[in-house]
Amino acid sequence: MSISRRKFISWISAGCTSLICTTAHGAKKQFKGYPDSFGILHDTTICIGCRRCEDACNSVNNLPAPEKPFTDLSILDKKRRTTTKAYTVVNKYENKDKNKASVFRKSQCNHCLEPACASACFVKAFKKTKEGPVTYDPKVCVGCRYCMIACPFEIPTYEYDEPLTPRVMKCTMCHDLIKKDKLPACVEICPTGSLKFGKRDALIKYARERISKFPDRYIDHIYGEHEMGGTSWLYISNLSFNEMGMREDLGITPAPELTAGALGAVPVVVSLWPVLLTGIYAINRRKEKLAEREKAEAVSSAVEAAKAGREKVSLDKVRGSDG
């Protein structure tokens, strides 16, 4: 089958027009948080910034060792974010009250109840599991990186330095360990108990009890209980979350409801993907056939010219011998 470029573009245009209209007006919530899922509560008031959670995370995920060892705490003097080689990082935040100690916060994927990354991913590479973690399947990922745009916490990172099979990298909350009834690596290694693992509802209840029992120690706010519809990773602290570099302007609306309008047209690619590939294949095959035909014609002409040349030479010789 061969198609013209004009016809191929008209197919794409027609498909885009109909599908965008359908998607934009028919977008609905796609994800729901599981009521009995697990979560992790980070109590920053008892975190000592030892970085052992970083070490455990790298170990269980087979990530490369950092340039500086995990025992080097001088790295805490500069703000860091997660990377393809570090699913979690601990940062230090100075307290405005000089009489109070610095606060340490562990940063990683917050595993939203209704993840923006999953909502934006048109190939469903991201999935909210019933256990709580948001997982990623590199086998179906096409590298569009819409997840990075959609995430309000700026967590997913991309392997730009991997030329063949780049992946989107982020914390998995040790989903494989949880399914085996084991603790996430960071929780198990924490020496102070600042990381607590359990059912999300139970963690929220525990956090409220802590805040009520020690009102002078904590701000009356459980970060992640309602932010962006709620997250499986929760925080309590004695320092405002804004002062710890955490967004407090996110509201309580689940991320998919916000991304549905802006990214609602993205699934068009899924429906058009077979058409796109078929069209490209057909055009390329047509070009290849034309090139093969032109090559064959050129070879044939060259052969004919060579043959004619040989015949002319032979004729000239004959004429020369007759003379």
Side-chain angles (χ1 to χ4, degrees):
M1 181 186 81
S2 63
I3 60 171
S4 67
R5 188 186 303 270
R6 183 187 298 269
K7 181 176 290 186
F8 174 58
I9 293 175
S10 71
W11 285 359
I12 296 294
S13 299
C16 284
T17 302
S18 64
L19 285 173
I20 287 176
C21 290
T22 301
T23 307
H25 293 289
K28 296 180 180 179
K29 288 177 61 176
Q30 298 179 356
F31 305 96
K32 294 182 180 180
Y34 294 97
D36 204 32
S37 62
F38 292 101
I40 297 176
L41 173 67
H42 181 28
D43 186 341
T44 65
T45 67
I46 53 179
C47 179
I48 59 176
C50 65
R51 299 185 65 202
R52 293 183 67 181
C53 55
E54 293 185 32
D55 191 355
C57 178
N58 271 45
S59 178
V60 76
N61 289 293
N62 298 314
L63 298 175
E67 294 182 5
K68 294 183 178 181
F70 291 109
T71 53
D72 185 351
L73 301 185
S74 65
I75 197 75
L76 297 173
D77 293 330
K78 63 177 182 180
K79 298 297 179 289
R80 299 175 296 150
R81 60 157 295 173
T82 57
T83 69
T84 57
K85 298 176 177 60
Y87 291 173
T88 186
V89 295
V90 176
N91 283 316
K92 180 172 70 173
Y93 300 90
E94 300 295 341
N95 204 312
K96 290 182 179 180
D97 186 344
K98 299 302 180 181
N99 296 320
K100 295 183 178 180
S102 300
V103 175
F104 301 94
R105 175 176 72 90
K106 180 181 178 299
S107 177
Q108 70 296 302
C109 173
N110 286 328
H111 300 277
C112 302
L113 300 186
E114 299 187 58
C117 58
S119 175
C121 182
F122 56 84
V123 295
K124 298 183 179 180
F126 288 91
K127 177 183 178 182
K128 178 67 175 181
T129 65
K130 64 180 181 180
E131 292 83 10
V134 175
T135 58
Y136 164 73
D137 184 358
K139 296 178 182 177
V140 299
C141 178
V142 297
C144 70
R145 301 186 291 284
Y146 285 118
C147 55
M148 297 172 65
I149 299 173
C151 179
F153 304 106
E154 300 180 349
I155 290 298
T157 57
Y158 190 70
E159 290 183 313
Y160 290 103
D161 57 347
E162 176 56 57
L164 299 178
T165 55
R167 298 166 295 172
V168 175
M169 308 292 274
K170 74 171 195 67
C171 158
T172 64
M173 211 166 97
C174 292
H175 184 232
D176 290 341
L177 293 179
I178 292 176
K179 289 194 298 182
K180 297 177 182 178
D181 294 326
K182 296 181 179 180
L183 292 174
C186 59
V187 176
E188 185 175 27
I189 201 70
C190 182
T192 65
S194 68
L195 298 176
K196 186 177 180 64
F197 176 80
K199 294 295 179 66
R200 183 177 182 272
D201 291 342
L203 291 177
I204 291 174
K205 181 180 179 181
Y206 171 82
R208 286 190 182 132
E209 291 174 351
R210 294 286 295 175
I211 293 172
S212 177
K213 186 176 181 179
F214 304 103
D216 296 333
R217 183 185 299 182
Y218 298 100
I219 294 172
D220 189 11
H221 182 185
I222 304 172
Y223 193 94
E225 181 180 8
H226 300 297
E227 276 76 10
M228 299 301 295
T231 62
S232 293
W233 198 283
L234 308 163
Y235 294 88
I236 50 176
S237 177
N238 61 347
L239 188 65
S240 74
F241 296 108
N242 184 58
E243 291 180 73
M244 291 194 293
M246 301 169 72
R247 294 184 60 180
E248 293 190 293
D249 61 340
L250 297 174
I252 63 174
T253 303
E257 292 187 21
L258 301 177
T259 58
L263 297 174
V266 172
V268 168
V269 179
V270 177
S271 299
L272 294 181
W273 205 249
V275 177
L276 178 64
L277 294 180
T278 301
I280 292 174
Y281 176 76
I283 290 174
N284 286 337
R285 285 295 298 152
R286 184 168 181 267
K287 286 182 178 180
E288 290 172 3
K289 288 181 179 180
L290 288 174
E292 290 173 0
R293 185 185 305 169
E294 290 173 356
K295 181 179 179 181
E297 290 175 353
V299 171
S300 177
S301 297
V303 170
E304 291 296 329
K307 182 178 179 181
R310 287 196 301 271
E311 291 176 351
K312 183 177 183 301
V313 171
S314 298
L315 182 60
D316 288 344
K317 287 182 179 180
V318 171
R319 289 175 179 174
S321 63
D322 291 343

